[in-house]
Short mmCIF file of all heavy atoms in Angstrom, two decimals:
data_model
loop_
_atom_site.label_atom_id
_atom_site.label_comp_id
_atom_site.label_asym_id
_atom_site.label_seq_id
_atom_site.Cartn_x
_atom_site.Cartn_y
_atom_site.Cartn_z
N ASN A 666 105.42 86.29 112.81
CA ASN A 666 106.46 85.29 113.12
C ASN A 666 105.85 84.30 114.09
O ASN A 666 104.63 84.34 114.30
CB ASN A 666 107.75 85.97 113.63
CG ASN A 666 107.54 86.74 114.91
OD1 ASN A 666 106.80 86.35 115.80
ND2 ASN A 666 108.24 87.88 115.03
N SER A 667 106.66 83.46 114.70
CA SER A 667 106.12 82.41 115.55
C SER A 667 105.46 82.92 116.83
O SER A 667 104.63 82.22 117.42
CB SER A 667 107.20 81.40 115.92
OG SER A 667 108.24 82.03 116.63
N SER A 668 105.76 84.14 117.24
CA SER A 668 105.21 84.63 118.50
C SER A 668 104.41 85.93 118.41
O SER A 668 103.75 86.30 119.38
CB SER A 668 106.33 84.81 119.55
OG SER A 668 107.23 85.80 119.14
N ARG A 669 104.47 86.61 117.29
CA ARG A 669 103.84 87.91 117.20
C ARG A 669 102.86 87.94 116.02
O ARG A 669 103.08 87.33 114.99
CB ARG A 669 104.87 89.01 117.08
CG ARG A 669 105.80 89.04 118.29
CD ARG A 669 106.79 90.17 118.25
NE ARG A 669 106.28 91.41 118.78
CZ ARG A 669 106.14 91.70 120.08
NH1 ARG A 669 106.39 90.80 120.97
NH2 ARG A 669 105.74 92.88 120.45
N LYS A 670 101.77 88.74 116.23
CA LYS A 670 100.72 88.84 115.21
C LYS A 670 100.24 90.28 115.14
O LYS A 670 100.38 91.05 116.10
CB LYS A 670 99.53 87.96 115.60
CG LYS A 670 99.89 86.50 115.81
CD LYS A 670 98.76 85.76 116.44
CE LYS A 670 99.19 84.36 116.78
NZ LYS A 670 98.27 83.67 117.65
N VAL A 671 99.67 90.63 114.00
CA VAL A 671 99.03 91.93 113.82
C VAL A 671 97.54 91.70 113.75
O VAL A 671 97.06 90.80 113.08
CB VAL A 671 99.53 92.61 112.52
CG1 VAL A 671 98.68 93.83 112.17
CG2 VAL A 671 101.00 93.00 112.68
N LEU A 672 96.81 92.54 114.49
CA LEU A 672 95.35 92.51 114.47
C LEU A 672 94.89 93.52 113.42
O LEU A 672 95.27 94.68 113.47
CB LEU A 672 94.80 92.87 115.84
CG LEU A 672 93.28 93.10 115.93
CD1 LEU A 672 92.52 91.83 115.61
CD2 LEU A 672 92.93 93.61 117.31
N VAL A 673 94.05 93.08 112.51
CA VAL A 673 93.49 93.97 111.50
C VAL A 673 92.00 94.10 111.77
O VAL A 673 91.28 93.10 111.84
CB VAL A 673 93.72 93.43 110.05
CG1 VAL A 673 93.19 94.45 109.04
CG2 VAL A 673 95.18 93.10 109.82
N VAL A 674 91.56 95.34 111.95
CA VAL A 674 90.13 95.63 112.13
C VAL A 674 89.62 96.16 110.80
O VAL A 674 90.03 97.24 110.37
CB VAL A 674 89.90 96.65 113.26
CG1 VAL A 674 88.41 96.88 113.48
CG2 VAL A 674 90.60 96.21 114.56
N HIS A 675 88.77 95.39 110.15
CA HIS A 675 88.18 95.78 108.89
C HIS A 675 86.84 96.46 109.20
O HIS A 675 85.96 95.84 109.77
CB HIS A 675 87.91 94.57 107.99
CG HIS A 675 89.11 93.75 107.65
ND1 HIS A 675 89.91 94.07 106.58
CD2 HIS A 675 89.66 92.67 108.24
CE1 HIS A 675 90.89 93.19 106.50
NE2 HIS A 675 90.77 92.35 107.50
N VAL A 676 86.71 97.74 108.81
CA VAL A 676 85.48 98.48 109.05
C VAL A 676 84.84 98.81 107.70
O VAL A 676 85.48 99.47 106.87
CB VAL A 676 85.74 99.77 109.84
CG1 VAL A 676 84.42 100.47 110.16
CG2 VAL A 676 86.55 99.51 111.11
N ARG A 677 83.65 98.31 107.49
CA ARG A 677 82.95 98.60 106.25
C ARG A 677 82.18 99.93 106.36
O ARG A 677 81.79 100.33 107.47
CB ARG A 677 81.97 97.47 105.91
CG ARG A 677 82.64 96.17 105.58
CD ARG A 677 81.67 95.05 105.25
NE ARG A 677 80.66 94.81 106.25
CZ ARG A 677 80.84 94.15 107.40
NH1 ARG A 677 82.04 93.69 107.69
NH2 ARG A 677 79.84 93.96 108.23
N GLU A 678 81.96 100.58 105.25
CA GLU A 678 81.09 101.75 105.24
C GLU A 678 79.70 101.29 105.69
O GLU A 678 79.17 100.28 105.22
CB GLU A 678 80.99 102.34 103.83
CG GLU A 678 80.08 103.54 103.78
CD GLU A 678 80.01 104.17 102.40
OE1 GLU A 678 80.66 103.68 101.47
OE2 GLU A 678 79.28 105.19 102.28
N SER A 679 79.13 102.02 106.60
CA SER A 679 77.85 101.61 107.20
C SER A 679 76.66 102.07 106.36
O SER A 679 76.70 103.13 105.74
CB SER A 679 77.73 102.19 108.60
OG SER A 679 76.51 101.83 109.16
N LYS A 680 75.62 101.27 106.43
CA LYS A 680 74.34 101.66 105.85
C LYS A 680 73.43 102.25 106.92
O LYS A 680 72.32 102.66 106.60
CB LYS A 680 73.67 100.41 105.21
CG LYS A 680 74.45 99.86 104.06
CD LYS A 680 73.82 98.63 103.48
CE LYS A 680 74.71 98.09 102.35
NZ LYS A 680 74.21 96.84 101.83
N GLU A 681 73.91 102.25 108.16
CA GLU A 681 73.12 102.77 109.29
C GLU A 681 73.73 104.05 109.88
O GLU A 681 73.78 104.22 111.09
CB GLU A 681 73.03 101.71 110.39
CG GLU A 681 72.34 100.46 109.96
CD GLU A 681 72.28 99.45 111.08
OE1 GLU A 681 71.77 99.81 112.18
OE2 GLU A 681 72.76 98.31 110.90
N LYS A 682 74.24 104.92 109.05
CA LYS A 682 74.88 106.14 109.52
C LYS A 682 73.85 107.06 110.14
O LYS A 682 72.68 107.04 109.75
CB LYS A 682 75.55 106.87 108.34
CG LYS A 682 76.62 106.12 107.67
CD LYS A 682 77.11 106.87 106.45
CE LYS A 682 78.03 106.01 105.61
NZ LYS A 682 78.46 106.67 104.40
N PRO A 683 74.24 107.89 111.06
CA PRO A 683 75.57 108.03 111.64
C PRO A 683 75.77 107.13 112.85
O PRO A 683 74.82 106.75 113.52
CB PRO A 683 75.62 109.49 112.07
CG PRO A 683 74.20 109.79 112.46
CD PRO A 683 73.35 108.98 111.50
N HIS A 684 77.03 106.81 113.12
CA HIS A 684 77.41 106.06 114.30
C HIS A 684 77.98 107.05 115.30
O HIS A 684 78.54 108.08 114.94
CB HIS A 684 78.46 105.01 113.95
CG HIS A 684 77.90 103.91 113.13
ND1 HIS A 684 77.39 102.75 113.67
CD2 HIS A 684 77.75 103.79 111.79
CE1 HIS A 684 76.95 101.98 112.70
NE2 HIS A 684 77.15 102.57 111.55
N PHE A 685 77.85 106.69 116.59
CA PHE A 685 78.36 107.53 117.67
C PHE A 685 79.16 106.69 118.61
O PHE A 685 78.97 105.48 118.70
CB PHE A 685 77.21 108.19 118.44
CG PHE A 685 76.32 109.04 117.60
CD1 PHE A 685 75.16 108.53 117.02
CD2 PHE A 685 76.65 110.37 117.36
CE1 PHE A 685 74.34 109.32 116.26
CE2 PHE A 685 75.85 111.15 116.57
CZ PHE A 685 74.68 110.64 116.03
N LEU A 686 80.02 107.33 119.39
CA LEU A 686 80.77 106.68 120.44
C LEU A 686 80.25 107.21 121.76
O LEU A 686 80.33 108.39 122.03
CB LEU A 686 82.28 106.97 120.28
CG LEU A 686 83.17 106.28 121.27
CD1 LEU A 686 83.13 104.76 121.11
CD2 LEU A 686 84.62 106.76 121.07
N LYS A 687 79.72 106.31 122.59
CA LYS A 687 79.24 106.68 123.91
C LYS A 687 80.45 106.69 124.84
O LYS A 687 81.11 105.66 125.01
CB LYS A 687 78.20 105.71 124.40
CG LYS A 687 77.56 106.07 125.73
CD LYS A 687 76.38 105.19 126.07
CE LYS A 687 76.85 103.82 126.43
NZ LYS A 687 75.79 102.94 126.92
N THR A 688 80.75 107.83 125.42
CA THR A 688 81.93 107.98 126.26
C THR A 688 81.63 107.56 127.71
O THR A 688 80.49 107.27 128.05
CB THR A 688 82.47 109.43 126.25
OG1 THR A 688 81.41 110.29 126.71
CG2 THR A 688 82.86 109.83 124.84
N ALA A 689 82.65 107.54 128.53
CA ALA A 689 82.53 107.12 129.91
C ALA A 689 81.50 107.97 130.69
O ALA A 689 80.83 107.46 131.58
CB ALA A 689 83.87 107.18 130.62
N ASP A 690 81.37 109.23 130.32
CA ASP A 690 80.41 110.09 131.03
C ASP A 690 79.00 109.99 130.43
O ASP A 690 78.08 110.72 130.81
CB ASP A 690 80.89 111.55 131.03
CG ASP A 690 81.04 112.14 129.64
OD1 ASP A 690 80.68 111.48 128.65
OD2 ASP A 690 81.54 113.27 129.55
N GLY A 691 78.81 109.06 129.47
CA GLY A 691 77.49 108.82 128.90
C GLY A 691 77.15 109.71 127.72
O GLY A 691 76.10 109.56 127.12
#
Side-chain angles (χ1 to χ4, degrees):
N666 62 38
S667 61
S668 64
R669 300 184 85 76
K670 303 169 187 167
V671 168
L672 171 64
V673 184
V674 183
H675 300 273
V676 185
R677 293 180 306 282
E678 179 178 1
S679 179
K680 296 178 182 175
E681 299 180 55
K682 298 175 190 177
H684 290 269
F685 301 94
L686 183 64
K687 185 171 72 173
T688 59
D690 60 6

